[in-house]
Amino acid sequence: MNAAYVLSVRDLQISARTDEGEARILDHVNVDVLPGQIVGIAGESGCGKSTLIRAILRVLPRRTRIERGEILFKGRNLLSLSAREMQRIRGRAIGFIPQDPYLALNPVFKVGTQLMEILRWHGLPGEAARRSEGGTRAQHRERLVELLRAAQVADPEDALERYPHQFSGGQRQRILIAGALACRPELILADEPTTALDVTTQLQILKLLKDLAEQFRIAMLFVTHDFGVIAQLCHKVSVMYAGQSVETGGTRAIIDRPLHPYTQLLMRCHPDRSTDLEGIPGQVPSPLRPPSGCRFHPRCPQALPQCSLSRPATIRRAAQEVACVLYSEHAPA
């Protein structure tokens, strides 16, 4: 593992016990994020993108089990930490931006009360263990006003005294972004944070996230199903299908030259990339009964007999990595 990575997910495999049997949710997933880099996680609904985020935060459902792998944050395996140690990392070193700005804020508390709670629990880097409550509160309020201003929330001082219902969806998402940045984290996890917003507001939020990541040199893992969002925001993209990493590389390389058949079909589904829109036949398989081998082979128009036998090895092609037998040395000419 390269020590320069802020986050490195290695060979992560996750399953869950259900009433219907064992569900294999993630199957040997790998993701790396450098400082200041925004990495997109793309794929259809049900491909395990949000489960990956929850695994990094260590907030998986109780019946979920991590079978193997590592989640290295600055070289430290998060899976080996106690619950108390993870509490010190979540919110402080790793920030989180949720999907729905309408559900993420408590409607009965003022915005300032909710944001101040983040700083009350975690504090700012370098704050002494024992400190004057009055002095600290004033410093925290000043920090929040600064962040709300950076997030382009109108009249930030007044915003702290208002309730969530007094803000639009876009303004609420900006408030959540400010909250994620409050403790100066080194990594932000964003779980489809623009899905509930209109197109115009979505573009503004994407530009804001990109600017703030550059300004504060924060690494970001950005979950989305939209390659238009990835093209606007991300330096690198990892495509997931049914819990497997199928292709990884620079955003421009993957958009211009997708290698994996699944990535190619995803591109044809996007209105900005195709004049003749096509869907992908079939649906993402249930993790209770995933296909053997490459999980995409039942839907793949280029499937070969060996695709169902074993999971294909990940092969490097130029600046991209692809898990597909079409690129192996044993592929038919």
Side-chain angles (χ1 to χ4, degrees):
M1 179 255 182
N2 189 331
Y5 291 127
V6 174
L7 176 72
S8 185
V9 178
R10 301 283 89 202
D11 202 25
L12 186 64
Q13 186 175 358
I14 295 177
S15 64
R17 296 188 306 275
T18 75
D19 294 337
E20 300 177 62
E22 192 88 356
R24 288 178 280 176
I25 303 171
L26 295 186
D27 182 26
H28 305 285
V29 170
N30 296 283
V31 180
D32 296 314
V33 189
L34 290 165
Q37 188 179 53
I38 303 176
V39 176
I41 304 293
E44 295 169 274
S45 297
C47 284
K49 305 185 300 295
S50 294
T51 299
L52 174 61
I53 295 293
R54 292 171 69 91
I56 296 168
L57 291 171
R58 291 272 305 276
V59 291
L60 289 166
R62 185 169 298 176
R63 300 178 76 182
T64 305
R65 183 172 65 254
I66 296 176
E67 303 282 359
R68 61 179 295 170
E70 294 179 316
I71 301 174
L72 301 169
F73 175 64
K74 299 175 61 181
R76 192 179 186 190
N77 188 6
L78 298 182
L79 301 180
S80 67
L81 303 185
S82 67
R84 183 176 292 274
E85 288 173 316
M86 274 304 302
Q87 286 177 350
R88 298 193 190 103
I89 289 175
R90 279 194 302 266
R92 177 185 290 178
I94 301 178
F96 175 63
I97 305 172
Q99 181 174 0
D100 194 337
Y102 294 96
L103 298 178
L105 292 167
N106 192 319
V108 302
F109 292 105
K110 292 179 179 178
V111 163
T113 301
Q114 298 183 60
L115 295 182
M116 197 71 76
E117 191 74 359
I118 299 171
L119 288 170
R120 188 175 76 84
W121 277 101
H122 296 294
L124 291 169
E127 281 186 341
R130 296 182 178 275
R131 51 203 180 215
S132 162
E133 179 62 27
T136 300
R137 185 173 179 82
Q139 292 167 8
H140 288 176
R141 185 179 178 85
E142 182 180 344
R143 168 71 174 165
L144 292 176
V145 169
E146 170 194 331
L147 284 173
L148 289 173
R149 186 174 290 115
Q152 300 170 13
V153 174
D155 197 355
E157 293 191 5
D158 178 65
L160 293 174
E161 302 302 322
R162 296 163 67 189
Y163 290 90
H165 73 270
Q166 296 176 283
F167 296 91
S168 68
Q171 289 293 300
R172 291 190 207 193
Q173 197 61 282
R174 294 171 192 272
I175 289 167
L176 292 172
I177 291 169
L181 293 169
C183 298
R184 302 190 182 115
E186 295 175 73
L187 173 68
I188 295 269
L189 306 177
D191 189 4
E192 301 198 49
T194 60
T195 298
L197 305 176
D198 62 77
V199 176
T200 304
T201 306
Q202 183 182 97
L203 185 61
Q204 294 171 353
I205 295 297
L206 291 176
K207 185 178 185 306
L208 174 64
L209 284 171
K210 190 171 186 176
D211 291 345
L212 291 176
E214 291 176 359
Q215 179 182 345
F216 296 106
R217 192 162 169 72
I218 295 173
M220 188 180 302
L221 197 62
F222 192 97
V223 168
T224 183
H225 59 271
D226 189 341
F227 265 97
V229 169
I230 286 173
Q232 292 284 333
L233 181 68
C234 301
H235 303 105
K236 179 180 170 184
V237 57
S238 178
V239 180
M240 288 181 62
Y241 179 76
Q244 294 181 341
S245 299
V246 298
E247 186 169 359
T248 301
T251 298
R252 183 48 53 196
I254 284 187
I255 289 176
D256 290 344
R257 300 179 303 279
L259 299 178
H260 198 281
Y262 178 60
T263 313
Q264 294 168 2
L265 290 172
L266 283 179
M267 293 299 171
R268 294 177 195 169
C269 294
H270 200 282
D272 291 342
R273 304 296 305 178
S274 176
T275 55
D276 185 18
L277 294 179
E278 299 179 28
I280 304 177
Q283 59 187 6
V284 178
S286 166
L288 286 166
R289 289 169 291 277
S292 60
C294 172
R295 292 186 178 181
F296 186 59
H297 83 262
R299 303 171 70 188
C300 181
Q302 303 178 60
L304 300 172
Q306 60 262 45
C307 294
S308 63
L309 301 179
S310 61
R311 182 181 176 178
T314 299
I315 297 161
R316 177 169 287 277
R317 280 293 180 98
Q320 289 161 251
E321 293 182 347
V322 59
C324 181
V325 298
L326 294 175
Y327 303 95
S328 73
E329 58 183 12
H330 303 297

